[in-house]
Amino acid sequence: MRTVLATLALSALAVVTGAALVLYSGIIDVGADDPHSAPLHAVLETARERAVAVRARDIEVPPLGSAEQMRSGAGNYAAMCVGCHLAPGVAPTELSQGLYPAPPALAEATRDGDPAATFWVIKHGLKSTGMPAWGRFMEDHYIWSLVAFVEQLPSLTPMEYQALVASSDGHQHGGGETDMHDHSGQHSSQTGDHHGASEQGERDAKVHRHSDGSRHQH
C-alpha cells in the first residue's frame, strides 16, 4: 500500500513539476495571431459556454422588441459594439479580424440567440476575449435594449440598420452620453494612414462621462 501511495505521490509531483517547467519556459505562445490547438479551443469554448449558461439560467427576461428598445439598442450598438461585432452592410474591421478569440458577427442568422445569456455576457463581459463588462457603466434597462436589438439584428437589412441608428438617441446608457461613436463606416475604400491623430483632432476631443462619474476622452 505504501508503495502505491509513494508511486502516486511521485507521479503527481512529476506532473506538477513538468507543468511548472512548461509554463515558466515561455514555450506557450500567447500571441493572438497563433490560435489555440483544436482540443484546447474545444475545452475553453465548453468552459465558457457552461459558465455563462449556469450564471444566466435564473435571469428573468423582460418583454423585448419594443420600438423604444430597438432605437436605444441601435444607438448604443453603433457606438459600442459594431467595431467588433459588425452589422448588416458593415465590412470586417481591423478589430473584428485582429481579436482572438474572434468576436462573433452578431448579424449572422446562424447564431443561437439566448436573451438571458446575451444579457449576462454584455453585463459581465468575458475574460481574455476583449469583451468588456458593460454593466460597470450601463444600467440594466439599457443592456436589455441592447439585447432586444441584437436579437433582431440578423433580420435587418443594411438600410433598416442605418435607419434605426439614425432614429436613435445615440450613445446613451445612463450617464448622459449622447455623442455618437458610429464606427460603421470607419473601414471604407479610402486609402491613406488613418491611425494618426492630428493636433486639431486632439483639441476637438470630447469628454465622455459615465454614470459612475468617471471620464475619458475620444
Side-chain angles (χ1 to χ4, degrees), residues 91 183-191 194:
H183 303 288
S184 59
Q186 67 182 8
H187 293 271
S188 63
S189 59
Q190 295 178 354
T191 59
H194 57 284

Side-chain angles (χ1 to χ4, degrees), residues 7 9 97 108 129 149-150 155 187 193:
T7 301
Q97 297 177 94
E108 293 183 358
T129 65
F149 179 77
V150 168
S155 66
H187 293 271
D193 183 6

Side-chain angles (χ1 to χ4, degrees), residues 122-193:
I122 294 173
K123 182 167 184 173
H124 299 285
L126 293 170
K127 294 176 180 176
S128 302
T129 65
M131 177 63 194
W134 291 118
R136 296 180 60 189
F137 315 105
M138 298 182 73
E139 298 173 6
D140 280 3
H141 73 276
Y142 287 103
I143 297 179
W144 280 119
S145 292
L146 259 179
V147 173
F149 179 77
V150 168
E151 289 295 303
Q152 297 298 319
L153 193 59
S155 66
L156 299 178
T157 66
M159 290 185 64
E160 289 171 335
Y161 167 73
Q162 293 295 343
L164 277 170
V165 173
S167 69
S168 74
D169 292 326
H171 187 194
Q172 189 174 53
H173 51 68
E177 306 82 355
T178 55
D179 292 330
M180 289 296 292
H181 304 273
D182 188 354
H183 303 288
S184 59
Q186 67 182 8
H187 293 271
S188 63
S189 59
Q190 295 178 354
T191 59
D193 183 6

Side-chain angles (χ1 to χ4, degrees), residues 48-141:
R48 176 184 60 80
E49 291 173 1
R50 290 301 305 148
V52 172
V54 168
R55 287 158 179 79
R57 62 189 174 191
D58 294 327
I59 294 176
E60 185 175 347
V61 179
L64 299 175
S66 70
E68 180 181 356
Q69 286 177 327
M70 291 294 288
R71 286 193 297 270
S72 173
N76 282 326
Y77 187 91
M80 302 159 59
C81 311
V82 72
C84 293
H85 296 290
L86 310 181
V90 177
T93 65
E94 291 169 342
L95 273 176
S96 70
Q97 297 177 94
L99 285 172
Y100 185 82
L106 298 182
E108 293 183 358
T110 55
R111 60 178 298 272
D112 183 18
D114 179 350
T118 302
F119 175 87
W120 192 94
V121 169
I122 294 173
K123 182 167 184 173
H124 299 285
L126 293 170
K127 294 176 180 176
S128 302
T129 65
M131 177 63 194
W134 291 118
R136 296 180 60 189
F137 315 105
M138 298 182 73
E139 298 173 6
D140 280 3
H141 73 276

